[in-house]
Amino acid sequence: MILVTGGLGMIGAHTARALVNLGHEVVVTSHRRTDVPSFLAGKVSVERLDVTDREAFLALGDRYEISDIVHLAGSIPGTDPVEFFRTDTSGLLNALDAARTWGVRRFAVASSLGVYLGRTEIPWHEDLALPTADLPHLIIAFKKAVEPLTTHSLQGTDVQPVVLRIGSIWGPLMDPESPFNRIPPYISAVLRGEQPRPLHADDGGDCCYAPDAGRAIALLTTAETLQHNTYNVASGRTFTNRDLADALQAITPGLQLTLLPGRQNGPGADPYLDITRLTQDTGFTPAFDSTTAVADYVAWRADNPR
């Protein structure tokens, strides 16, 4: 059985679904959320768990025979950065303690594309040295620390660490007004019959659709062998605002959307993640392009609030 912490969040739920589709039994944990997505109902075991509670975490091993862990649970920073770091570090260390205690095969953990900030090469790939740079958000700062904490904690064990440098993920279960991704709020405005705030046509980045991201993580968790300990999890291509507008207009002929010309910050290119390593070791390729992803998401929103 595979444990997915934070398994009722967007990335966790899509990872759990992909694992089930691959034929695995899955237990997901959630601290506060209780609503199980329709695509997981009756297909996974659900445990309420505060991952900062070490005893409760380790007690999962008394109820389930857990072979692998995907640690995606995390919190949103409040006004106290120390409290945020304390909470998420405690959860990570408890998950690592469980991995060592249970002797699992593989421990996958969420990092972020933000660790590459400061590198000017495009695309960003796993062999780039991570720069010392000012980081724009506490979550990215923590994710950068996750990588050495994980790999060093598992040294000398038979547990293989898998660091997931996750790109910008969007799709079903994301907050439709998320401040972290431009796509759902833009689509939400269109669905309300409003004109979205104009975006620059050529701005964009590597925006991977959540079902693809979940499948990539599932493949990395279950692959017979992996040649590396660090993988980019992304679409491997850019998704511009022009692509977004074109996809929405393909769904609704006659829809008029205003785009500003060029890029907000002038000529150049937005970074995206190289997924060659992921593809070579798992066979992963995205199932969704910008058009099919937007169409799938709009269909999802017709019957689901998030």
Side-chain angles (χ1 to χ4, degrees), residues 40-215:
L40 286 184
K43 297 181 179 180
V44 298
S45 299
V46 180
E47 290 278 346
R48 291 292 296 273
L49 176 70
D50 178 353
V51 294
T52 67
D53 185 334
R54 180 179 180 275
E55 290 186 3
F57 203 131
L58 292 175
L60 289 175
D62 298 329
R63 299 193 293 279
Y64 302 97
E65 188 173 342
I66 295 172
S67 60
D68 304 89
I69 297 174
V70 183
H71 182 56
L72 302 174
S75 63
I76 301 297
T79 57
D80 185 349
V82 174
E83 183 59 26
F84 165 70
F85 289 134
R86 179 182 293 112
T87 297
D88 279 32
T89 302
S90 295
L92 172 64
L93 296 179
N94 288 340
L96 288 164
D97 204 1
R100 292 169 59 97
T101 300
W102 302 336
V104 301
R105 185 182 67 114
R106 200 165 280 162
F107 180 89
V109 64
S111 179
S112 167
L113 88 169
V115 302
Y116 294 114
L117 290 175
R119 300 297 311 215
T120 58
E121 304 89 339
I122 298 173
W124 287 338
H125 59 83
E126 296 93 339
D127 288 328
L128 290 172
L130 301 186
T132 300
D134 290 335
L135 299 175
H137 200 279
L138 291 176
I139 293 177
I140 296 176
F142 175 72
K143 296 302 186 186
K144 199 167 186 177
V146 161
E147 299 195 6
L149 287 173
T150 297
T151 54
H152 283 275
S153 293
L154 297 178
Q155 282 183 356
T157 74
D158 292 328
V159 182
Q160 181 178 16
V162 183
V163 172
L164 308 166
R165 290 182 177 163
I166 300 175
S168 182
I169 311 301
W170 74 283
L173 304 183
M174 189 175 217
D175 176 0
E177 302 301 331
S178 172
F180 298 110
N181 191 294
R182 71 192 189 281
I183 299 174
Y186 192 93
I187 294 175
S188 292
V190 171
L191 294 178
R192 291 193 299 267
E194 301 171 2
Q195 181 68 214
R197 177 177 62 86
L199 302 174
H200 287 264
D202 296 330
D203 279 344
D206 193 328
C207 294
C208 184
Y209 197 48
D212 275 336
R215 185 166 55 88

Side-chain angles (χ1 to χ4, degrees), residues 164-287:
L164 308 166
R165 290 182 177 163
I166 300 175
S168 182
I169 311 301
W170 74 283
L173 304 183
M174 189 175 217
D175 176 0
E177 302 301 331
S178 172
F180 298 110
N181 191 294
R182 71 192 189 281
I183 299 174
Y186 192 93
I187 294 175
S188 292
V190 171
L191 294 178
R192 291 193 299 267
E194 301 171 2
Q195 181 68 214
R197 177 177 62 86
L199 302 174
H200 287 264
D202 296 330
D203 279 344
D206 193 328
C207 294
C208 184
Y209 197 48
D212 275 336
R215 185 166 55 88
I217 295 171
L219 290 171
L220 286 167
T221 304
T222 61
E224 185 174 347
T225 59
L226 293 176
Q227 302 303 311
H228 307 277
N229 289 335
T230 302
Y231 291 86
N232 289 336
V233 174
S235 69
R237 58 191 176 219
T238 58
F239 182 170
T240 68
N241 294 326
R242 189 186 308 278
D243 295 330
L244 174 58
D246 287 347
L248 286 165
Q249 289 167 333
I251 297 170
T252 309
L255 177 66
Q256 298 296 314
L257 296 171
T258 301
L259 292 173
L260 303 175
R263 299 179 72 251
Q264 184 173 10
N265 296 321
D270 288 304
Y272 64 95
L273 297 179
D274 186 320
I275 61 169
T276 300
R277 181 181 289 187
L278 168 64
T279 299
Q280 288 177 339
D281 281 11
T282 70
F284 170 83
T285 56

